[in-house]
Amino acid sequence: MSDKTVFIKTYGCQMNVYDTARMKDVLAPFGYAAAESPAGADLVVLNTCHIREKAAEKVFSDLGRLRAHHHAKAEAGGRMVVAVAGCVAQAEGEALRARAPIVDIVLGPQTYHRLPEMVARVLRGAGAVFDTEFPAEPKFDHLPPPGAEGPSAFLAIQEGCDRFCTYCVVPYTRGAEYARPAAEVIADARRLVETGAREITLLGQNVNAWTAEGPHGGAWSFGRLLRELAEIPGLERLRYTTSHPQSVDADLVAAHRDAPALVPFLHLPVQAGADRVLKAMNRGHTAADYLRTVDALKAARPDLMLSSDFIVGFPGETEAEFAETLKIIDAVGFIQAFSFKYSPRPGTPAAAMPGQVADAVKVERLARLQERLAEIQTAFNRSCVGRTLPVLFERAGRHAGQLVGRSPAMQAVHAEAPAAAMGAIRPVRIVGVGPNSLAGVLDDLGERDAAE
Ligand code: 5AD
Ligand code: SF4
């Protein structure tokens, strides 16, 4: 039965993308089919992000726009239930409804397994529902087992963060660290591979802080988990995100040496390059500590490439301190990065620090930082021309006969390829570089596709 529709809009990080997919899984048995637009939908969920002010404000402007659809549905004799999920919901709670009265349900990231029950309560006329607690029973116990929707799948293994970087809302919105037991993670990973996944990205706000009970008792390290997952037949690529440099221990370094399925690409945010700033951020590491970690990882896996997150204009950041960030970019040679202007978040320590940096200064520093990052990225992409990269083909390209996939370093690669290459990792010789992707030709065409 699928006579109702749900539209879910996702903001923010990969964890939210994952949560959206799981909300759809939870709602499907109750007859909700996914809709492409909010027009006419029976249920609209905004799965929100609170990490920076811009992301949070976007939710309120979208709620404003949703009013017309809400009204149209009522005019047609229907009822559109509106839910706000995710980190804005967690942070704002009941206050959210004062700003946006069309909201029926406010639910945090830890309670979305109860969404069908909340919708039923609203439809019974029991009033608005607020559920932003951190329940004792982990939501993972109440979610249906995941299935892969393509060759590349996400798997949440950890949630929350205990690090309390002074700029960050995550410890407040996602709560304390929770790690899923190894047996559960392995079972989910096996199921994903059985349903078509060739690549799994393990997700967590502080994913490499994962440590939990092993299948036969005793605590497992994250490195141990990775080594075990890498043994699953048919699982060809393993990734994890987002990690903290201080949780890279010797065992994790060894896993990068021992498990070929671990791709030689790691997102390891450094945030800034000046030690005073890193300390004020409560990162728990210096620039030298970070560089030592990178060296250890590269000694274990010499082809490892890195990406990072950066914040410019943290309170008190001087021009000289900003220059230290540019220095660490050059020292590591990050081939990809996400970079942001510091955004003061209510309730976080940094928001109350003296020396808040003027927006014009942040804008200017961000432009310089991004220019340097783009140069490195472009040089890296150009250096791929003539090389053969293993590409996992994930979807059809824009032109007939073309498939698009990802290299180990997450570069989008398109190539002429037979339909049979979909979902497979194939060697692709890179022949060109576009603004957002690489162009290549299959390198094993003669051997594998002669008969096709
Ligand atoms: N302002 C700007 N960027 C932030 N991030 C987290 N909090 C803030 C903030 N208050 C960035 C960090 C983090 C990424 C997910 O978002 O770089 O790694
Ligand atoms: Fe936020 Fe990451 Fe720091 Fe945790 S480690 S507080 S999620 S920036």
Side-chain angles (χ1 to χ4, degrees):
M1 182 189 76
S2 152
D3 49 359
K4 290 170 281 185
T5 57
V6 53
F7 172 76
I8 308 187
K9 174 159 180 179
T10 313
Y11 310 71
C13 65
Q14 277 166 329
M15 187 66 99
N16 269 10
V17 175
Y18 181 83
D19 288 350
T20 290
R22 305 317 313 277
M23 278 191 254
K24 287 181 186 164
D25 291 346
V26 166
L27 288 163
F30 293 86
Y32 284 91
E36 292 295 312
S37 113
D42 298 285
L43 172 62
V44 172
V45 183
L46 303 185
N47 190 12
T48 62
C49 172
H50 202 243
I51 198 112
R52 285 167 294 275
E53 190 179 0
K54 237 197 217 157
E57 280 308 314
K58 183 102 183 43
V59 176
F60 289 101
S61 62
D62 284 350
L63 279 169
R65 262 200 297 275
L66 200 57
R67 277 211 305 266
H69 292 303
H70 190 264
H71 187 69
K73 179 92 181 172
E75 292 279 285
R79 166 82 162 93
M80 177 184 283
V81 176
V82 176
V84 177
C87 294
V88 171
Q90 190 67 43
E92 303 256 340
E94 300 194 17
L96 207 150
R97 233 175 88 92
R99 259 182 91 178
I102 66 163
V103 174
D104 299 297
I105 298 170
V106 179
L107 73 155
Q110 303 310 327
T111 54
Y112 62 70
H113 54 289
R114 300 182 192 153
L115 185 54
E117 183 191 318
M118 298 179 201
V119 175
R121 259 165 66 190
V122 170
L123 291 175
R124 273 202 312 273
V129 179
F130 304 98
D131 194 347
T132 53
E133 63 171 295
F134 291 99
E137 94 280 12
K139 72 173 171 225
F140 293 106
D141 296 353
H142 298 270
L143 290 172
E149 278 177 17
S152 181
F154 291 117
L155 174 53
I157 66 161
Q158 184 278 339
E159 208 171 346
C161 185
D162 294 344
R163 287 218 167 253
F164 290 92
C165 299
T166 53
Y167 51 81
C168 185
V169 289
V170 167
Y172 310 97
T173 57
R174 290 277 174 170
E177 285 175 9
Y178 167 76
R180 299 179 66 200
E184 253 181 52
V185 173
I186 293 169
D188 275 4
R190 284 188 189 281
R191 181 186 296 269
L192 288 172
V193 173
E194 277 158 21
T195 53
R198 292 289 156 264
E199 169 179 282
I200 293 180
T201 303
L202 305 176
L203 292 182
Q205 272 86 33
N206 188 4
V207 74
N208 61 337
W210 183 96
T211 172
E213 193 188 348
H216 311 293
W220 271 25
S221 67
F222 184 52
R224 172 93 191 261
L225 179 72
L226 291 175
R227 270 196 290 266
E228 211 68 32
L229 291 173
E231 294 299 317
I232 295 176
L235 180 59
E236 300 183 59
R237 278 183 180 175
L238 195 52
R239 305 177 185 274
Y240 57 92
T241 197
T242 284
S243 29
H244 192 285
Q246 284 314 89
S247 302
V248 178
D249 59 12
D251 193 44
L252 177 51
V253 171
H256 279 273
R257 184 191 61 216
D258 301 337
L262 260 184
V263 292
F265 175 74
L266 180 60
H267 184 64
L268 191 65
V270 65
Q271 312 294 356
D275 288 344
R276 190 204 62 82
V277 174
L278 288 167
K279 190 160 197 293
M281 287 178 164
N282 191 32
R283 289 291 293 171
H285 62 83
T286 61
D289 293 333
Y290 184 88
L291 292 172
R292 258 195 305 277
T293 300
V294 168
D295 284 347
L297 285 163
K298 284 197 167 172
R301 184 83 205 237
D303 55 348
L304 187 80
M305 295 162 284
L306 287 130
S307 88
S308 182
D309 291 342
F310 295 96
I311 296 176
V312 301
F314 187 79
E317 184 186 72
T318 63
E319 176 59 29
E321 286 168 342
F322 171 67
E324 293 291 313
T325 303
L326 296 177
K327 222 165 101 185
I328 204 160
I329 290 174
D330 284 338
V332 178
F334 296 102
I335 58 154
Q336 261 169 50
F338 299 101
S339 46
F340 313 100
K341 293 188 290 179
Y342 168 69
S343 169
R345 308 310 292 126
T348 59
M353 284 180 188
Q356 298 286 327
V357 174
D359 191 58
V361 175
K362 292 183 198 171
V363 169
E364 191 270 334
R365 286 183 188 163
L366 186 66
R368 274 195 284 156
L369 181 100
Q370 291 183 338
E371 192 183 337
R372 184 67 196 117
L373 288 164
E375 279 168 14
I376 299 174
Q377 182 166 13
T378 304
F380 172 68
N381 285 341
R382 290 210 180 109
S383 78
C384 293
V385 174
R387 283 167 57 192
T388 295
L389 304 178
V391 173
L392 173 58
F393 286 108
E394 290 171 13
R395 58 188 168 88
R398 235 182 304 149
H399 308 293
Q402 201 183 54
L403 296 182
V404 185
R406 298 243 171 224
S407 71
M410 298 294 284
Q411 296 151 296
V413 181
H414 51 89
E416 302 274 312
M422 185 73 106
I425 296 181
R426 300 285 289 267
V428 175
R429 190 161 47 80
I430 304 305
V431 295
V433 182
N436 299 309
S437 65
L438 305 177
V441 292
L442 277 189
D443 225 9
D444 60 350
L445 206 53
E447 303 145 44
R448 309 260 307 248
D449 301 311
E452 285 174 39

